[in-house]
Amino acid sequence: MIIYLMKRLGLAAIVVMAVLLLLFSMLHMIPGNPAILALGTRATPEAIAEYTARMHLDEPVLTQFVYFLGSALQGDLGQDVFSNRAVVDIIGERIGFSLALICTGMGWAVLLGVPLGCLAAVRPGSWVDRVTGVFSVGMIAVPSFLVSIWALLLFSLELRWLPAIGAGEPGDFADQLSHLVLPAFAIGLGWVGYLARMVRASMLEVMGEPYIRSARAFGLTPRRVVLGYALRVAILPTITLIGMGFGGLISSAVFAEIIFARPGVGKMIFDAVSDRNFPIVQGGVLVATGFYILVVLMSDLLIAWLDPRVRSSL
């Protein structure tokens, strides 16, 4: 298991460095002087020279990448161009809002999608299976940003059931929860369909295995067979899908945070790109990539722990 973990960590480090190098290259492909783009055309020559020296913009891209990587390993992601605040502090203030949104969106998708997939697999070909299939495909087909706009117009502006923008008053859990409902619903709706289809396909495959027929022959109740035997094996591919789904939710959360004006990391990166605030962009992308890789690594380790076939091959 330790060797497996070291291999996954090494692969994760390679992916992070590749993403950062690609980001650096893309930022330097923008036409114009990066210092002038960040500070504006009215910046003084002294300010431009100071910014260029501080960001090592007079060095080659690879050298800048090495400087940033070395600082990041020490916990220093640079300073905000406009406020001179540490990027780590700015991200720390916003990451909680993004984590709450992503985890809530995936959480309610799992709680609804897994039972729907099990129900459809237990009764294949029935009206329940057909209705679940139609709704699953429909939920997958609608982009999350459209769901965000429709939910905002219907539940906030038309019906006035839920607040439209913001993240709620600090310290007021009920208010923060009410502001979380619509964006979490918007980004999680499509994943209800993905999880339902995945669980159904896995359950149908497992339900035909010999050990399931043996369990039925021994007189076990259908509930015991489904929950105690079939779902334990069928859920393994779904765990992998959930881990990968967090990457999709990161991008969906960007649209939701912009539409609902939530002060999360996604909106922070969007605003930083608009303002040419490169340290914020670099730090935000690094944190988002690290979070995604961490979730995928945790899902791989969970599968290795749950599946004896994987454990025996390590």
Side-chain angles (χ1 to χ4, degrees):
M1 180 67 75
I2 297 178
I3 298 177
Y4 175 77
L5 178 60
M6 296 301 295
K7 290 181 179 179
R8 301 300 294 181
L9 288 175
L11 181 61
I14 294 174
V15 171
V16 170
M17 287 190 292
V19 169
L20 289 177
L21 186 58
L22 179 62
L23 176 64
F24 265 81
S25 302
M26 292 177 63
L27 290 177
H28 284 78
M29 290 173 61
I30 300 176
N33 189 334
I36 297 177
L37 290 174
L39 301 178
T41 56
R42 296 185 178 181
T44 62
E46 293 77 10
I48 294 176
E50 190 274 334
Y51 181 82
T52 301
R54 176 156 54 92
M55 298 297 298
H56 304 285
L57 296 178
D58 52 348
E59 301 283 349
V61 176
L62 187 59
T63 304
Q64 296 179 40
F65 174 74
V66 173
Y67 275 121
F68 176 77
L69 192 61
S71 300
L73 292 176
Q74 300 175 15
D76 181 13
L77 299 180
Q79 291 181 326
D80 182 14
V81 173
F82 304 104
S83 65
N84 287 327
R85 295 181 58 201
V87 174
V88 174
D89 296 336
I90 297 175
I91 294 177
E93 295 173 355
R94 294 172 175 259
I95 194 171
F97 296 103
S98 295
L99 290 178
L101 175 58
I102 293 172
C103 294
T104 304
M106 181 58 76
W108 85 266
V110 170
L111 292 177
L112 185 59
V114 172
L116 283 178
C118 289
L119 187 60
V122 171
R123 300 177 180 178
S126 65
W127 68 269
V128 176
D129 186 20
R130 291 193 293 269
V131 171
T132 302
V134 171
F135 275 100
S136 297
V137 174
M139 288 183 286
I140 294 172
V142 181
S144 61
F145 67 88
L146 282 183
V147 179
S148 299
I149 296 173
W150 292 343
L152 179 65
L153 295 176
L154 178 61
F155 296 108
S156 293
L157 300 183
E158 185 67 25
L159 300 176
R160 300 184 182 277
W161 288 354
L162 294 166
I165 60 175
E169 293 295 330
D172 190 342
F173 178 76
D175 188 38
Q176 292 182 352
L177 186 61
S178 65
H179 282 79
L180 187 61
V181 172
L182 286 184
F185 167 77
I187 69 172
L189 185 64
W191 285 97
V192 175
Y194 280 118
L195 294 174
R197 302 309 294 169
M198 173 62 77
V199 172
R200 178 187 181 276
S202 300
M203 285 287 292
L204 288 177
E205 182 180 355
V206 172
M207 293 294 282
E209 293 292 332
Y211 72 91
I212 296 296
R213 294 195 295 268
S214 299
R216 288 172 172 171
F218 276 104
L220 297 180
T221 61
R223 180 177 180 181
R224 178 73 180 278
V225 172
V226 172
L227 299 181
Y229 293 90
L231 185 59
R232 290 178 60 183
V233 177
I235 201 66
L236 296 178
T238 307
I239 294 175
T240 302
L241 180 63
I242 292 172
M244 297 176 61
F246 275 96
L249 287 182
I250 291 174
S251 60
S252 300
V254 175
F255 293 104
E257 289 174 353
I258 294 172
I259 293 171
F260 293 99
R262 287 183 60 85
V265 174
K267 188 174 185 302
M268 178 197 71
I269 296 176
F270 175 80
D271 294 337
V273 171
S274 302
D275 297 334
R276 304 294 193 272
N277 197 340
F278 296 152
I280 295 291
V281 176
Q282 295 166 0
V285 171
L286 175 61
V287 171
T289 305
F291 170 74
Y292 172 58
I293 292 177
L294 178 63
V295 173
V296 173
L297 179 62
M298 291 175 60
S299 66
D300 289 343
L301 293 177
L302 182 59
I303 290 176
W305 178 63
L306 292 175
D307 193 345
R309 295 170 298 181
V310 178
R311 287 202 305 268
S312 61
S313 63
L314 298 180

